[in-house]
Amino acid sequence: MGCYVLSFEEIDQTQVAFVGGKGAHLGELSRIEGIRVPAGFCVTTDAFRRIMAEAPSIDDRLDRLSRLSPDDRGAIRALSAEIRRTLEGIAIPEDLAAAITGPLVQLGERAAYAVRSSATAEDLPTASFAGQQDTYLNVVGPAAILQHVSRCWASLFTERAVTYRLRNGFDHRKVHMAVVVQQMVFPQASGILFTADPVTSNRKVASVEASFGLGEALVSGLVNADVYKVRDGEVVARTVATKRLALRAAPAGGTEERAIEPGRQDDPALTDEQAVRLARLGRRIEAHFGRPQDIEWCLVDDGFQIVQSRPITTLFPIPPAGDQENHVYVSVGHQQMMTDAMKPLGISLWQLTAGRPMYEAGGRLFVDVTRGLASPASRAGLLAALGKSDPLIGDALQTIVEREDFLPSLPDEGPAWAPAGGAPAPIETDPAIVAGLIGRGQASLAALKRDIPAKSGPALLDFVLEDIQELRRILFDPQSHRVFMTAIEATWWLNENMRAWLGEKNAADKLAQSVPHNVTSEMGLALLDVADAIRPHPDVVAFLQHVEDEAFLDELPKLAGGRAARDAIRAWLDKYGMRCVGEIDITRPRWSERPTTLVPLILGNIKNFEPGAGGRRFEQGRQKTRKKERELLERLRALPDGERKAEEARRMIDRVRTFSGYREYPKYGMVSRYFVYKQALMEEAGRLERARVLREKEDIFYLTFHELQDVARTNRVDDRLIRGRKDAFRSYRALTPPRVLTSDGEAIAGAYRRDDLPAGALVGLPVSAGTIEGRARVILDVARADLEAGDILVTAYTDPSWTPLFVAIEGLVTEVGGLMTHGAVIAREYGLPAVVGVERATRLIRDGQRIRVHGTDGYVEILP
């Protein structure tokens, strides 16, 4: 027989499996000195499991439920309602009913209670499940309590709760329901206390939301709340709302809405002193649980009672600084077009590659720029460099500088921060320089491929660590840096001077199409050639439309034309198969590992293009550039001192066209090397799995590189560490990293300071000139792209893996990006008008809407 009831005094936060998240937190809260919690008890998950065991056909229904897609709303609604009706219809056995109602004798049988669901997957550090299950207030009498306990059990299968579990990967069978039965309090005021500001994420600012009566009115959105911001023991901001309604206990049970008399509607629900006192209680609770809390409170006779506390799951973690000083961090992912969470092996390898101090938080990397901002000597250069790359980062940093009280005061000792490699002098145009750099990189990669197969065990990890130094030598080669900086500076020169001399904005964008040696844009055009090899073979095309197995390439030779199709795809993968979405994370699956990812792209090219489109597109871009160059030079020659201006412009155009394509090569070389490392490390992981050191090969993704070295040396691994890292990674994926973050946890959102835009325009950074109008395709997963000719791609960010889509679109809008990031470079290469850094573009623009992209001026219009 199970244990069906536990009092709060018997419960602590380790008992989530028995009393659910809400129950465990209430038990733990009742143990904190100075925190008042209304008395109560929990009906444990043992009781729920007993009821589930008596439910007819429940296993079959749970099987059907688990197979549904979270988007299959109709089927979820019908099946979840069926399960709820079944559970509510089961009579509670007498011994169980007696156990549930037994504590009421001591607490008061005729008292009023709150009966609240408490699921085992609820109020977790990684998922709140807030509002997913049911709560009932002012429940009076044993019979009513039993009835509402049944309703709480059934609420585990509300449509919203089922959908939430499906979306977040929770198994319906592994989530159980406990029920909290707690004495009701009837407060003058109630509300929510966040121990970190929910708007800015600042951990030093507590936010109190308050209204009259029961807090359910506020939680359900029935009333507006007063808001108090409390910092360092004082209210620093206050907003008092007009409160027309309050939720009160109804005489017959339950609650009812009551109007607040007009003379009190604009009264504050709390005094400043009460708000400060409440914030202090919140800090005590936060300290006990070790992380910021979302706390439900009630004010009764000038005393506060706490009826719930849960972790705030939406806050982005703070990089660990190891001191009490103020710090300012800038996101690396926004520079690298990879804002997704990375696994520990990917993070550590990227840190080893970058070779400069970086800080991990929330599965992302950040650079500490505090000293650069604080030193007058380096501040201007830092703001200019980061602001030119991403104006929102630049503006956010300027906001911090203007606060004056956050940054330390440093003496003017010279630059504390400078771009890697400094600012090298431009080099004169010579195509042999680029050819030499590419050749040396390819020879080094070939040597790696030749030598690494002989390595295994600890020797393999040592070899990879040593080879990373060769990778760094190539990445940070001063001549390589001079090449792309020369192209960037020539681009800036052309844009500034063509605007000053000819009144033409972003002229360099029209001069960067079809440049040589751009390995990423060549990749997109080469996939058009793959489509050409497949298009004549209808059996192959039909087969590819239903491909799911990654081994499909081995099946192709059985079809007419299949051998040629397979060879074309494999040849493409030999050159580009090391790439993938989020490719700077070595743990991400590569195209060579998941070739099915390419199939929709190939089929799209067959549908949208005629044979020979790749070659034609490159030549058309080259002809457009030549025409634009002739036009600009002719106009310049007509100006005073025109021959000199035209000759300078011609030299800069040559630099752009000779050197800008190389901008994509260093990353291509790095990712190529990463794939060689990954293949060797996965072989080593296979050895560890066969030796039963690892449960599965992919467990190495949750170890840092140096931890993996230790595992290879000792043949021992900490399973709990890996499990914890997996849980953490799942929670990190749901977080949105800020561009700029402070050590207070405040996410600083920059802004575009522009007032020259049409009403309703979405502002961003202009990176590829021109204006285009078309259908917006909002795409978050490249593998699900379904494009038609003329579409405009709207997405969060693009890295090189998105390039095959660029051949099929007419314009580009992204939420993240800068002048020299991947999407901008390839958009100019293909002649696509593009605006990047458009905040919340994928939410503000709906899929299928007509939009106009102003790539020259940097904004997007949503058309009627």
Side-chain angles (χ1 to χ4, degrees):
M1 179 174 166
C3 174
Y4 296 136
V5 170
L6 291 173
S7 69
F8 287 173
E9 291 75 20
E10 299 174 280
I11 296 168
D12 62 32
Q13 61 185 334
T14 67
Q15 293 170 284
V16 172
F18 299 105
V19 295
K22 191 180 278 99
H25 283 186
L26 281 167
E28 192 70 29
L29 279 167
S30 66
R31 294 165 177 262
I32 305 174
E33 186 177 350
I35 302 299
R36 295 172 59 197
V37 177
F41 60 92
C42 282
V43 181
T44 70
T45 53
D46 282 352
F48 173 76
R49 278 190 283 265
R50 181 170 170 186
I51 293 298
M52 286 288 283
E54 297 189 17
S57 308
I58 196 70
D59 284 337
D60 174 62
R61 289 166 177 168
L62 292 179
D63 285 341
R64 285 156 53 201
L65 204 59
S66 65
R67 290 194 294 268
L68 295 176
S69 160
D71 296 319
D72 196 348
R73 302 285 296 277
I76 291 172
R77 186 179 302 117
L79 188 51
S80 60
E82 190 180 311
I83 295 172
R84 286 198 310 278
R85 283 194 300 271
T86 299
L87 292 179
E88 287 185 33
I90 295 173
I92 299 177
E94 285 186 15
D95 63 316
L96 177 53
I100 294 171
T101 57
L104 302 179
V105 175
Q106 183 178 354
L107 294 173
E109 288 194 354
R110 301 313 302 170
Y113 293 87
V115 181
R116 311 165 74 189
S117 302
S118 180
T120 53
E122 178 178 272
D123 295 347
L124 304 176
T126 56
S128 74
F129 283 79
Q132 301 303 315
Q133 282 86 220
D134 288 348
T135 287
Y136 301 95
L137 302 179
N138 196 26
V139 180
V140 180
I145 284 173
L146 289 173
Q147 180 186 32
H148 286 87
V149 166
S150 285
R151 289 179 178 174
C152 285
W153 287 332
S155 76
L156 188 64
F157 297 97
T158 62
E159 181 186 346
R160 61 184 181 271
V162 167
T163 302
Y164 191 93
R165 288 198 294 274
L166 289 171
R167 288 198 188 284
N168 288 277
F170 285 86
D171 186 339
H172 300 299
R173 295 177 185 279
K174 293 181 179 177
V175 180
H176 303 295
M177 181 65 83
V179 181
V180 170
V181 180
Q182 186 175 24
Q183 282 186 332
M184 278 287 295
V185 292
F186 300 101
Q188 299 99 289
S190 58
I192 301 168
L193 163 64
F194 299 97
T195 62
D197 190 318
V199 177
T200 67
S201 299
N202 193 323
R203 279 26 170 217
K204 292 186 177 177
V205 176
S207 180
V208 177
E209 297 184 2
S211 65
F212 296 127
L214 292 167
E216 286 297 303
L218 193 156
V219 172
S220 62
L222 193 64
V223 298
N224 293 324
D226 297 344
V227 179
Y228 305 79
K229 303 288 186 181
V230 181
R231 179 170 184 149
D232 297 329
E234 65 176 315
V235 174
V236 295
R238 180 194 313 99
T239 303
V240 177
T242 299
K243 300 171 286 294
R244 295 184 174 86
L245 293 173
L247 204 63
R248 305 286 187 185
T255 60
E256 63 184 12
E257 296 175 17
R258 292 187 193 168
I260 296 173
E261 51 269 31
R264 291 190 60 223
Q265 290 180 359
D266 293 317
D267 288 352
L270 295 177
T271 65
D272 282 7
E273 183 275 330
Q274 287 171 331
V276 169
R277 184 151 42 98
L278 178 59
R280 286 200 194 101
L281 291 175
R283 293 293 177 217
R284 188 178 298 174
I285 294 168
E286 178 184 69
H288 183 86
F289 286 110
R291 60 185 298 157
Q293 296 287 301
D294 165 357
I295 299 164
E296 296 176 24
W297 56 269
C298 295
L299 177 65
V300 183
D301 299 327
D302 198 39
F304 288 103
Q305 299 203 36
I306 305 302
V307 295
Q308 182 53 289
S309 185
R310 61 175 69 88
I312 305 175
T313 60
T314 55
L315 294 176
F316 199 87
I318 305 171
D323 59 33
Q324 299 301 310
E325 303 298 320
N326 289 345
H327 292 269
V328 181
Y329 303 98
V330 170
S331 163
V332 172
H334 284 81
Q335 305 291 312
Q336 290 296 327
M337 297 297 94
M338 168 57 177
T339 55
D340 294 346
M342 296 171 67
K343 297 187 180 80
L345 183 62
I347 287 175
S348 62
L349 194 68
W350 179 253
Q351 289 174 306
L352 290 168
T353 303
R356 63 181 296 182
M358 291 185 185
Y359 300 86
E360 187 271 333
R364 280 81 168 184
L365 286 167
F366 294 83
V367 175
D368 188 339
V369 297
T370 313
R371 290 188 61 82
L373 279 185
S375 169
S378 58
R379 181 184 303 143
L382 173 60
L383 290 173
L386 291 176
K388 188 165 274 190
S389 168
D390 186 328
L392 294 175
I393 290 178
D395 187 74
L397 294 177
Q398 184 64 46
T399 298
I400 295 172
V401 169
E402 290 171 358
R403 288 181 177 175
E404 297 183 348
D405 62 347
F406 188 82
L407 294 169
S409 179
L410 294 181
D412 198 352
E413 299 173 339
W417 184 94
I427 53 179
E428 289 304 314
T429 306
D430 182 359
I433 295 173
V434 172
L437 287 167
I438 293 172
R440 289 193 291 276
Q442 289 175 335
S444 176
L445 180 64
L448 169 66
K449 290 179 176 178
R450 181 192 66 225
D451 296 340
I452 202 169
K455 311 294 181 182
S456 64
L460 169 65
L461 277 297
D462 293 343
F463 177 82
V464 171
L465 194 59
E466 186 177 329
D467 191 79
I468 289 171
Q469 300 312 308
E470 170 69 2
L471 169 58
R472 286 176 42 74
R473 185 191 65 76
I474 295 169
L475 283 176
F476 302 119
D477 183 315
Q479 188 178 43
S480 175
H481 189 63
R482 280 196 295 272
V483 164
F484 57 74
M485 283 308 299
T486 296
I488 290 171
E489 289 171 8
T491 297
W492 292 342
W493 187 96
L494 285 165
N495 284 339
E496 289 167 9
N497 287 284
M498 294 308 99
R499 184 163 189 171
W501 293 340
L502 300 175
E504 180 147 351
K505 295 180 183 177
N506 300 343
D509 295 356
K510 297 294 188 183
L511 300 166
Q513 293 186 51
S514 301
V515 298
H517 300 304
N518 188 319
V519 68
T520 305
S521 64
E522 289 167 3
M523 174 178 71
L525 299 176
L527 202 62
L528 289 172
D529 296 338
V530 173
D532 287 351
I534 294 172
R535 187 181 286 106
H537 308 295
D539 289 352
V540 174
V541 174
F543 172 79
L544 291 178
Q545 287 170 344
H546 303 287
V547 157
E548 293 181 1
D549 190 339
E550 298 298 345
F552 75 93
L553 289 172
D554 296 332
E555 300 297 313
L556 282 175
K558 300 174 184 177
L559 305 171
R563 190 173 299 277
R566 180 201 62 188
D567 293 347
I569 295 172
R570 280 190 174 162
W572 192 91
L573 287 171
D574 286 344
K575 187 167 185 180
Y576 305 111
M578 77 294 294
R579 312 210 87 153
C580 67
V581 174
E583 62 190 10
I584 68 170
D585 181 353
I586 193 175
T587 71
R588 289 290 191 101
R590 310 284 137 173
W591 283 333
S592 287
E593 296 170 317
R594 289 194 187 165
T596 54
T597 309
L598 295 174
V599 172
L601 307 178
I602 295 169
L603 292 172
N605 287 346
I606 291 171
K607 177 180 70 173
N608 292 325
F609 294 95
E610 295 295 324
R616 280 197 308 275
R617 179 151 194 163
F618 187 83
E619 184 56 32
Q620 286 165 0
R622 201 161 55 150
Q623 294 297 335
K624 285 180 183 177
T625 296
R626 285 177 177 168
K627 182 180 177 183
K628 186 65 179 179
E629 180 180 2
R630 287 194 300 269
E631 176 212 317
L632 288 175
L633 296 181
E634 285 173 12
R635 290 167 63 193
L636 288 170
R637 291 188 185 104
L639 300 175
D641 198 19
E643 287 298 332
R644 179 190 63 80
K645 290 174 178 173
E647 178 55 26
E648 275 192 88
R650 185 197 61 75
R651 285 208 324 275
M652 295 299 174
I653 292 169
D654 283 351
R655 287 182 185 178
V656 168
R657 293 198 59 72
T658 302
F659 293 141
S660 64
Y662 177 75
R663 177 71 179 86
E664 293 286 301
Y665 244 100
K667 189 173 185 182
Y668 172 77
M670 181 195 77
V671 173
S672 299
R673 238 177 169 85
Y674 274 13
F675 189 40
V676 178
Y677 298 161
K678 182 180 184 181
Q679 290 172 303
L681 292 175
M682 291 308 289
E683 283 195 27
E684 178 64 16
R687 180 189 72 78
L688 292 168
E689 183 188 35
R690 290 190 295 276
R692 299 192 176 179
V693 176
L694 297 176
R695 293 180 185 275
E696 55 186 13
K697 290 192 295 184
E698 287 74 15
D699 281 352
I700 67 167
F701 296 162
Y702 298 92
L703 299 170
T704 68
F705 187 87
H706 291 304
E707 287 169 346
L708 182 55
Q709 277 187 301
D710 290 340
V711 171
R713 188 179 67 253
T714 64
N715 279 333
R716 297 179 65 182
V717 72
D718 185 344
D719 282 333
R720 288 178 301 175
L721 175 71
I722 290 175
R723 286 198 302 273
R725 295 254 178 94
K726 287 180 178 181
D727 288 341
F729 179 73
R730 277 193 290 271
S731 71
Y732 295 158
R733 283 192 303 182
L735 299 175
T736 300
R739 283 174 164 84
V740 175
L741 182 67
T742 74
S743 49
D744 287 349
E746 184 178 4
I748 310 290
Y752 295 100
R753 309 295 176 177
R754 294 176 58 183
D755 55 10
D756 58 341
L757 302 176
L762 308 180
V763 63
L765 179 66
V767 295
S768 185
T771 300
I772 193 70
E773 205 176 286
R775 179 179 69 156
R777 292 313 313 269
V778 180
I779 297 172
L780 300 178
D781 180 354
V782 69
R784 296 177 179 270
D786 182 15
L787 294 165
E788 302 284 349
D791 283 347
I792 296 170
L793 174 61
V794 180
T795 190
Y797 67 84
T798 64
D799 62 9
S801 69
W802 288 74
T803 300
L805 293 187
F806 281 34
V807 298
I809 60 176
E810 294 295 331
L812 174 69
V813 179
T814 69
E815 294 178 340
V816 177
L819 278 167
M820 294 309 298
T821 49
H822 158 77
V825 171
I826 305 303
R828 292 193 289 272
E829 169 86 9
Y830 286 172
L832 306 174
V835 181
V836 302
V838 180
E839 289 276 77
R840 297 168 54 234
T842 59
R843 282 166 279 184
L844 296 173
I845 299 171
R846 294 197 308 274
D847 187 54
Q849 280 186 314
R850 286 195 68 78
I851 62 173
R852 186 181 296 126
V853 178
H854 296 263
T856 306
D857 294 308
Y859 64 94
V860 180
E861 291 180 281
I862 300 175
L863 304 177

